[in-house]
């Protein structure tokens, strides 16, 4: 009883609001426009988010803490010979993969000379600045002898060239670790790709070679010069490619990911314009009908204007509060399109149910009372789910900013639908009541005045006047609308047909089966190439890297951050045991093996160990670079202690398998907690991978919980709690299907798809809630009758919004970007599956599942009986007469 009273009270409030807006339409139409112009004007000076890590890496992760610890122990400027690992941060750099179209050996004389020529061209790159030209020598990372540090593979190729020049046949390159002439062992697993080896790991051929050039970025000027050098580096590689057409080169810099991520916005512009034109055209067509007075094409256009004003207002607020634009914002207009268009079409559908002999104010009040309650509840659902996503609980900044922007846009869309679109409805209502043309706003003459006019003129001015219609025909005035006619005369009877229902149920079972098959294969996507434009440096370089350099994992730093007894045999064995199964590419590993030999031969004590560190051991040529991997501290008695050390590990795994690398990280993490030696592991890619799955699912998880909570709470507000039960089951069915088919369509669970799934919850409620509400609240008659009635009342608005939404999505499929490809596939599945539930699954299932309906029992009073006919039937021989009286 309380729910019914509250429901009627809310309807009364919205009715009075509609009457008030209809009394002041000019103010409510102009205020949203002025607010949007004032706030949206600031968006003309918007800023673009430059840091991809800030957007897509989990904000609170153990990897960032580990990176800070590693930075404090081993700064980059003391790591002169560890550049292959990228160490703690990639910094500024330029990379190029050189390969051949014919799978030639890149280590033969011709290609070796070609690569060294490319190296020489790169080192000669100049960045002009006022009064000075910077070259690679001015911004490179310097060695102890003040010379630029270059990739070890360059030294290998130079030694190979010298060996050929002197006819030395004893020079051999081993894989993945080779030795230079100065005695250093260098790792080349990420510099040589597509390697074929002889016995004892001797390299026979290599299909690809990768060169890396690291740059300094110690201050703003240095960083600016380094950024321009990266741009010149890509241009130099392209020019070198043109002059050597038999080889293929893939340049890549530290700025490539950011530039390619932002490129999505630029390549999407003309497709979004096409999408807007298609949506405007479809919205106008959906609101048009043959009757030129009752047609509402301007309302279709003004509905899109309402959504645009709300989006512009939200963009202005985000910009004024210090927010920055990024390519994920491309999804916000489609979120607004799905919610805003359905609300406007629902209001238009309610307008068609009002009596034409009422005043415009009364008709507007009836529209608000009929449609605004459900629109308010679905808007509240949007605000709660996206509000939770915009909270600090969301660990991925891109998802949080997207949800924040969507939340603000939806809030203003709700206000603008109430004010701006409601005022527009009032204006078009006066045009209709005055029998003016819905497009040209001119008075429509009566049919008898058009008899002498041409046929095309009479067609454009076709209208039905109220004095020409009876009371029975007035209710069917809007049935000339194509979609209304289709649903009422054809589709409702067909979908509730007894012979159609089994096929719909069978189709639903097939739907569930395929969705389950896909659901069991869901994978989290942390590959950053999924969010950039296609045919870019990032995609080409990543593809080449995965093809040629996937034999080994990224180099993982193994850092011991406590003082341990390195002279103790058991400690040495523990450290080597922890790294068992990895390829160790560090002098530290050689050092431990050296200590083990000393223990076996002479027995190593702490005093022996201290003497070795203090005197001759670190001065030995074979350990000349060992100082980079240990940190010393001197005690008061002149003893030397090692407070921290590191080694670098490479696993025999595939970089393309992100889950395998993630499992490797988690295994090492667990080992660091239980081991006797305190150590951490780190690689820059761990910043994106660390707890990515939990961080990614958090906004979806929280939004689902908040949606279920709001559905439970609103059960006390709606007229019948059974509405929320059906709504919850429908949302679960839709989301389950979308996730399953999304996986079968090769869409991973990444930032973009999770945001789409959050939107899918609300989109389903948007379309299904009014349908279910009308069915559940219906009394008397049969279930089939109320299913038909629900489709007739709300089906047109659902179908109109779906058609507009679909034509708006189609151009998005052609955008050359992985981000928009994911966006299109997810949004299309959400729209299609929801449409399938609204027009097929629910109409069939509701005909034989609760709530039950009571058939109407009419009392057969004499005043309700009407004699139709009296039939006298006489047989041929006139021997029998039958009188039959039929009554209704």
């Amino acid at each position: 009883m309380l729910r019914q009273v509250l429901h009627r009270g809310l309807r009364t409030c919205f009715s009075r609001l509609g009457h008030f807006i209809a009394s002041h339409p000019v103010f409510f139409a102009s205020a949203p426009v002025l607010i949007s112009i004032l706030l949206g004007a600031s968006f003309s000076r918007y800023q673009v988010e430059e840091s991809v890590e800030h957007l897509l890496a989990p904000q609170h992760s153990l990897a960032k803490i580990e990176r800070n610890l590693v930075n404090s122990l081993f700064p980059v400027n003391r790591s002169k010979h560890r550049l292959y690992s990228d160490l703690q941060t990639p910094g500024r750099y330029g990379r190029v993969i050189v390969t051949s179209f014919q799978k030639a050996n890149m280590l033969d004389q011709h290609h070796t000379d070609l690569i060294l020529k490319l190296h020489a061209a790169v080192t000669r790159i100049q960045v002009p600045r006022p009064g000075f030209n910077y070259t690679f020598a001015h911004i490179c990372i310097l060695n102890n002898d003040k010379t630029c540090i270059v990739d070890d593979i360059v030294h290998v190729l130079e030694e190979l060239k010298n060996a050929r020049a002197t006819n030395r046949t004893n020079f051999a390159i081993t894989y993945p670790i080779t030795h230079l002439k100065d005695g250093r062992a260098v790792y080349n697993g990420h510099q040589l790709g597509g390697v074929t080896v002889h016995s004892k790991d001797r390299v026979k051929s290599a299909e690809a070679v990768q060169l890396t050039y690291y740059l300094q970025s110690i201050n703003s000027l240095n960083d600016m010069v380094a950024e321009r050098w990266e741009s010149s580096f890509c241009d130099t590689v392209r020019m070198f490619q043109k002059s050597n057409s038999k080889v293929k080169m893939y340049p890549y810099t530290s700025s490539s990911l950011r530039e390619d991520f932002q490129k999505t916005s630029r390549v999407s512009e003309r497709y979004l314009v096409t999408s807007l034109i298609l949506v405007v055209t479809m919205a106008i067509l959906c609101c048009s009908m043959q009757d030129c007075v009752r047609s509402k094409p301007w309302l279709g256009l003004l509905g899109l204007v309402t959504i645009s004003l709300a989006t512009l207002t939200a963009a202005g607020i985000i910009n004024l509060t210090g927010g920055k634009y990024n390519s994920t914002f491309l999804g916000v207009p489609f979120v607004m399109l799905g919610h805003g268009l359905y609300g406007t079409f629902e209001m238009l559908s309610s307008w068609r149910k009002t009596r034409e002999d009422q005043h415009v104010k009364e008709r507007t009040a009836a529209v608000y009372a009929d449609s605004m309650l459900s629109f308010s509840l679905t808007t509240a659902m949007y605000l709660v789910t996206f509000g939770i996503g915009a909270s600090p609980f969301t660990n991925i900044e891109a998802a949080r900013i997207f949800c924040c922007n969507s939340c603000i846009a939806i809030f203003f869309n709700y206000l603008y639908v109430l004010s701006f679109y409601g005022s527009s409805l009032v204006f078009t209502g006066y045009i209709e009541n005055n029998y003016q043309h819905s497009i040209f706003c001119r008075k429509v003459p009566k049919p008898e005045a058009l008899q002498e006019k041409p046929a095309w003129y009479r067609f454009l001015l076709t209208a039905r006047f109220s004095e020409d219609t009876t009371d029975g025909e007035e209710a069917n005035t809007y049935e000339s609308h194509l979609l209304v006619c289709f649903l009422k005369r054809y589709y409702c009877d067909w979908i509730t047909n007894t012979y159609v229902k089994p096929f719909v149920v069978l189709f639903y079972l097939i739907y569930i089966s395929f969705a389950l098959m896909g659901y069991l294969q869901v994978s989290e996507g942390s590959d950053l190439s999924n969010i950039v434009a296609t045919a870019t440096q990032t995609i080409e370089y990543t593809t080449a890297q995965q093809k040629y350099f996937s034999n080994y994992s990224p180099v993982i730093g193994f850092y011991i951050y406590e003082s341990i007894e390195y002279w103790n045999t058991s400690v040495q064995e523990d450290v080597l045991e922890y790294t068992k199964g990895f390829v160790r590419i560090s002098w530290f590993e050689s050092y431990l093996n050296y200590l083990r030999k000393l223990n076996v031969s002479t027995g190593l004590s702490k005093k022996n160990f201290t003497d070795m560190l203090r005197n001759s051991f670190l001065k030995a040529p074979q350990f000349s670079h060992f100082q980079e991997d240990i940190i010393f501290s001197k005690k008061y008695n002149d003893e030397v202690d090692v407070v921290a050390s590191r080694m670098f590990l490479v696993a025999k795994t595939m970089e393309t398998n992100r889950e395998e690398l993630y499992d490797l990280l988690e295994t090492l993490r667990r080992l660091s907690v239980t081991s006797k030696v305190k150590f951490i592991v780190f690689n820059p890619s761990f910043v994106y991978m660390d707890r990515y799955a939990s961080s990614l699912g958090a906004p979806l998880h929280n939004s689902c919980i908040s949606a279920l909570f709001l559905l439970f709470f609103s059960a006390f507000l709606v007229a019948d709690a059974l509405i929320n039960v059906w709504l919850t089951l429908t949302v679960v069915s839709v989301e389950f299907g979308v996730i399953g088919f999304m996986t079968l369509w090769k869409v991973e669970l990444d930032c973009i798809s999770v945001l789409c799934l959050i939107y899918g919850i609300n989109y389903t409620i948007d379309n299904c809630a009014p349908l279910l509400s009308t069915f559940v609240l219906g009394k008397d008659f049969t279930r089939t009758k109320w299913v038909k009635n629900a489709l007739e009342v709300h089906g047109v608005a659902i179908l109109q919004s779906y058609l507009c939404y679909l034509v708006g999505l189609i151009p998005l499929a052609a955008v050359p970007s992985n981000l928009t490809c994911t966006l299109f596939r997810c949004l299309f599945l959400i729209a299609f599956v929801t449409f399938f539930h609204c027009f097929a699954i629910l109409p069939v299932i509701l005909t034989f599942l609760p709530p039950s309906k009571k058939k109407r029992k009419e009392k057969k009073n004499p005043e309700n009986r009407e004699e139709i006919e009296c039939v006298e039937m006489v047989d041929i021989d006139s021997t029998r007469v039958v009188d039959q009286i039929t009554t209704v």
Side-chain angles (χ1 to χ4, degrees):
M1 181 64 182
L2 179 62
R3 288 198 296 265
Q4 282 77 7
V5 172
L6 183 59
H7 191 264
R8 286 195 296 268
L10 291 174
R11 287 176 60 90
T12 302
C13 292
F14 282 116
S15 176
R16 293 178 179 177
L17 176 62
H19 193 279
F20 180 74
I21 291 175
S23 301
H24 308 84
V26 177
F27 171 77
F28 286 102
S30 57
V33 177
L34 293 176
I35 294 174
S36 300
I37 293 175
L38 292 175
L39 293 176
S42 65
F43 193 67
S44 60
R45 297 186 300 273
Y46 69 93
Q47 295 179 321
V48 178
E49 179 59 61
E50 299 287 341
S51 175
V52 178
E53 179 184 320
H54 175 71
L55 286 174
L56 301 176
Q59 295 297 303
H60 310 288
S61 67
L62 183 59
K64 290 187 176 181
I65 299 175
E66 293 169 342
R67 181 173 61 185
N68 293 333
L69 177 59
V70 171
N71 278 331
S72 64
L73 293 175
F74 298 95
V76 175
N77 59 3
R78 66 171 280 145
S79 304
K80 305 295 185 181
H81 297 85
R82 300 297 179 227
L83 299 179
Y84 52 74
S85 66
D86 288 352
L87 297 173
Q88 299 83 279
T89 175
R92 291 284 184 184
Y93 61 86
R95 283 186 179 140
V96 58
I97 295 176
V98 185
T99 184
S100 172
F101 289 105
Q102 300 175 351
K103 296 184 178 181
N105 181 14
M106 304 307 294
L107 297 179
D108 60 24
Q109 184 173 356
H110 170 71
H111 289 96
T112 301
D113 294 340
L114 192 66
I115 295 172
L116 291 176
K117 287 181 182 179
L118 173 63
H119 169 69
V122 169
T123 56
R124 290 194 300 267
I125 293 175
Q126 293 186 352
V127 178
R129 291 290 298 164
F132 193 79
N133 291 334
Y134 289 87
T135 64
F136 178 71
H138 296 107
I139 57 176
C140 65
I141 297 179
L142 299 177
N143 205 338
N144 293 328
D145 57 359
K146 304 302 180 181
T147 60
C148 289
I149 295 180
V150 296
D151 234 350
D152 290 323
I153 190 63
V154 176
H155 299 304
V156 172
L157 295 178
E158 289 175 344
E159 292 186 12
L160 179 61
K161 181 179 179 180
N162 293 333
R164 286 174 178 152
T166 57
N167 293 323
R168 285 193 294 117
T169 59
N170 59 347
F171 181 81
I173 302 175
T174 55
Y175 181 82
I177 296 178
T178 191
H179 292 81
L180 300 178
K181 63 180 181 181
D182 61 359
R184 287 193 300 121
V186 297
Y187 170 72
N188 57 23
H190 289 165
Q191 282 74 43
L192 296 179
V195 176
T196 303
V197 296
H198 287 297
S199 58
K200 297 182 180 180
D201 296 333
R202 295 184 61 179
V203 177
K204 178 181 179 181
S205 65
E207 296 180 8
V209 173
Q210 179 172 236
L211 304 178
T212 306
Y213 300 89
Y214 292 91
L215 310 174
Q216 296 183 34
S217 55
I218 56 179
N219 53 51
S220 58
L221 175 62
N222 192 261
D223 186 72
M224 181 184 64
V225 173
E227 184 177 7
R228 293 187 179 181
W229 187 94
E230 290 178 348
S231 179
S232 299
F233 169 78
C234 294
D235 295 338
T236 301
V237 172
R238 294 191 192 99
M239 293 296 294
F240 200 84
Q241 167 80 73
K242 291 181 180 179
S243 59
N244 298 274
S245 58
K246 293 185 178 181
V247 295
K248 179 62 178 175
M249 300 180 184
Y250 304 93
Y252 187 79
T253 67
S254 63
S255 305
S256 296
L257 179 61
R258 170 179 56 82
E259 293 172 354
D260 295 342
F261 177 61
Q262 296 170 358
K263 187 178 179 181
T264 297
S265 300
R266 296 192 298 271
V267 300
S268 302
E269 291 177 357
R270 61 190 182 96
Y271 296 96
L272 292 178
V273 172
T274 304
S275 177
L276 178 61
I277 294 173
L278 291 176
V279 172
V280 169
T281 304
M282 182 58 69
I284 292 175
L285 290 177
C286 286
C287 296
S288 301
M289 52 190 297
Q290 187 176 0
D291 193 319
C292 68
V293 172
R294 294 167 182 83
S295 180
K296 298 288 186 294
W298 286 114
L299 285 183
L301 177 62
L302 291 172
L304 293 174
V305 173
T306 305
I307 297 171
S308 302
L309 291 175
T311 306
L312 182 62
T313 303
I317 292 176
I318 290 292
N319 191 53
L320 288 174
T321 54
K324 296 182 179 180
Y325 174 83
N326 65 81
S327 294
T328 61
F329 283 8
L330 291 174
V332 175
F334 293 95
V335 172
M336 298 297 300
L337 191 65
H339 178 58
L341 276 182
Y342 180 74
T344 57
F345 284 135
E346 189 68 27
M347 291 180 68
L348 183 57
S349 179
S350 298
W351 177 270
R352 295 193 185 102
K353 293 184 292 183
T354 59
R355 293 182 57 86
E356 294 186 356
D357 56 357
Q358 291 180 310
H359 193 272
V360 172
K361 294 181 181 179
E362 296 176 354
R363 297 182 72 179
T364 306
V367 168
Y368 275 69
D370 184 56
S371 61
M372 278 298 112
L373 180 57
S374 62
F375 186 66
S376 300
L377 290 177
T378 54
T379 300
M381 185 69 72
Y382 271 93
L383 294 177
V384 170
T385 52
F386 280 110
I388 293 295
S391 67
F393 296 106
T394 300
N395 202 17
I396 298 180
E397 187 67 11
R400 192 190 68 80
I401 296 176
F402 180 92
C403 290
C404 182
N405 195 356
S406 300
C407 203
I408 297 173
I410 288 166
F411 174 73
F412 278 95
N413 178 74
Y414 176 72
L415 296 181
Y416 290 174
V417 167
L418 287 176
S419 55
F420 180 81
Y421 190 78
S423 301
S424 304
L425 190 63
V426 172
F427 290 130
T428 57
Y430 281 116
I431 292 175
E432 179 182 335
N433 278 13
N434 294 331
Y435 286 94
Q436 293 175 295
H437 198 282
S438 59
I439 299 178
F440 307 109
C441 302
R442 296 187 61 182
K443 189 75 173 180
V444 176
K446 291 189 176 182
E448 53 268 19
L450 298 174
Q451 295 300 324
E452 299 180 356
K453 299 293 183 179
W456 64 269
Y457 191 83
R458 293 197 304 270
F459 176 79
L460 290 178
L461 296 179
T462 301
R464 178 182 295 183
F465 288 80
S466 58
E467 57 266 24
D468 298 333
T469 60
T470 63
D471 293 338
E473 293 176 340
E474 184 177 352
N476 300 325
T477 304
Y478 288 97
E479 281 196 14
S480 60
H481 191 284
L482 179 62
L483 297 181
V484 176
C485 179
F486 168 73
L487 287 176
K488 193 168 185 177
R489 297 184 182 179
Y490 302 103
Y491 186 78
C492 292
D493 291 332
W494 178 81
I495 195 64
T496 55
N497 188 287
T498 305
Y499 299 101
V500 174
K501 292 179 184 179
F503 292 99
V504 174
V505 174
L506 177 63
F507 195 73
Y508 182 68
L509 295 177
I510 296 174
Y511 159 82
I512 290 295
S513 301
F514 278 92
L516 178 61
M517 182 173 63
Y519 188 85
L520 297 176
Q521 303 175 36
V522 172
S523 61
E524 292 84 11
S526 59
D527 191 353
L528 297 179
S529 63
N530 291 336
I531 51 93
V532 301
T534 56
T536 56
Q537 290 181 0
T538 301
I539 298 297
E540 293 177 353
Y541 173 82
T542 303
T543 303
Q545 189 181 52
Q546 292 176 350
K547 179 180 179 180
Y548 296 108
F549 301 95
S550 59
N551 290 335
Y552 294 95
S553 72
V555 179
I556 301 170
F558 182 91
Y559 301 88
I560 300 175
Y561 59 93
E562 69 168 346
S563 179
I564 60 175
E565 298 178 351
Y566 289 93
W567 58 89
N568 191 314
T569 305
S570 61
V571 173
Q572 298 166 14
E573 292 178 350
D574 286 340
V575 174
L576 294 176
E577 179 65 25
Y578 298 150
T579 60
K580 185 179 180 181
F582 292 90
V583 178
R584 306 184 191 99
I585 49 175
S586 175
W587 290 108
F588 182 65
E589 184 263 344
S590 303
Y591 165 57
L592 289 180
N593 287 329
Y594 179 79
L595 293 181
R596 292 181 69 188
K597 292 179 181 178
L598 288 179
N599 280 358
V600 173
S601 60
T602 62
L604 186 64
S605 64
K606 181 178 180 180
K607 185 177 183 305
N608 299 137
F609 174 75
T610 302
D611 291 340
M612 289 188 336
L613 289 178
R614 186 175 54 212
N615 299 317
S616 60
F617 181 75
L618 293 180
K619 298 179 182 179
Q622 65 268 31
F623 298 110
S624 60
H625 303 298
F626 181 69
Q627 296 93 326
E628 298 178 12
D629 294 334
I630 60 176
I631 298 177
F632 304 103
S633 69
K634 292 186 178 181
K635 298 183 178 180
Y636 66 93
N637 57 356
D638 203 27
E639 289 187 357
V640 179
D641 195 10
V642 179
V643 297
S645 59
R646 68 180 178 182
M647 73 172 68
F648 296 99
L649 314 173
V650 177
K652 185 70 174 178
T653 182
M654 296 184 65
E655 288 186 358
T656 54
N657 193 336
R658 308 292 294 183
E659 290 188 4
E660 188 176 355
L661 191 58
Y662 181 79
D663 292 340
L664 175 63
L665 170 62
E666 291 300 308
T667 301
L668 291 173
R669 285 271 176 76
R670 289 192 297 267
L671 185 61
S672 67
V673 174
T674 59
S675 67
K676 299 177 183 178
V677 179
K678 295 181 180 179
F679 71 90
I680 58 175
V681 290
F682 184 76
N683 179 274
S685 62
F686 291 174
V687 174
Y688 293 96
M689 296 173 54
D690 189 21
R691 302 182 64 81
Y692 185 83
S694 59
S695 300
L696 190 64
L700 179 60
H701 179 262
N702 295 334
S703 296
C704 289
I705 293 177
S706 61
L708 292 175
F709 173 78
L710 189 60
L711 285 173
F712 174 77
F713 179 73
S714 63
F716 301 98
L717 300 177
V718 297
D720 196 319
L722 194 59
I723 298 174
N724 286 9
V725 175
W726 272 110
L727 204 54
T728 303
L729 294 176
T730 305
V731 169
V732 172
S733 178
V734 170
E735 288 289 286
F736 179 75
V738 169
I739 294 175
F741 284 96
M742 179 183 75
T743 305
L744 295 178
W745 208 352
K746 298 181 180 179
V747 176
E748 296 180 328
L749 200 63
D750 57 10
C751 177
I752 304 300
S753 58
V754 165
L755 293 174
C756 291
L757 290 175
I758 296 175
Y759 168 66
I761 299 173
N762 301 281
Y763 184 84
T764 304
I765 295 174
D766 240 346
N767 289 270
C768 297
L771 201 69
L772 291 168
S773 178
T774 300
F775 173 80
V776 172
L777 296 180
K779 304 299 181 183
D780 300 329
F781 299 111
T782 62
R783 293 191 182 96
T784 301
K785 174 65 177 177
W786 277 107
V787 165
K788 293 180 179 180
N789 186 53
L791 283 175
E792 292 172 3
V793 172
H794 302 288
V796 175
I798 297 173
L799 192 56
Q800 288 173 323
S801 63
Y802 175 76
L803 291 175
C804 293
Y805 196 71
L806 184 62
V807 299
L809 282 179
I810 290 174
L812 201 64
V815 179
S817 171
N818 290 335
L819 187 151
T820 53
C821 179
T822 301
L823 195 65
F824 165 77
R825 292 182 179 183
C826 293
L827 294 180
F828 176 80
L829 285 174
I830 290 169
F832 179 77
V833 173
T834 303
F835 180 81
F836 172 63
H837 278 72
C838 288
F839 281 89
I841 302 303
L842 288 177
V844 169
I845 292 180
L846 291 175
T847 57
F848 52 81
L849 290 179
S852 61
K853 307 291 181 183
K854 296 180 180 179
K855 293 184 178 181
R856 182 176 63 179
K857 296 180 180 179
E858 296 183 354
K859 296 180 180 179
K860 297 182 179 180
N861 294 327
E863 57 272 14
N864 292 334
R865 299 177 63 187
E866 177 184 358
E867 291 188 3
I868 296 179
E869 59 179 349
C870 180
V871 181
E872 182 177 292
M873 302 177 63
V874 183
D875 52 349
I876 298 176
D877 56 317
S878 301
T879 59
R880 184 165 53 88
V881 177
V882 179
D883 291 333
Q884 178 179 349
I885 299 176
T886 305
T887 62
V888 176

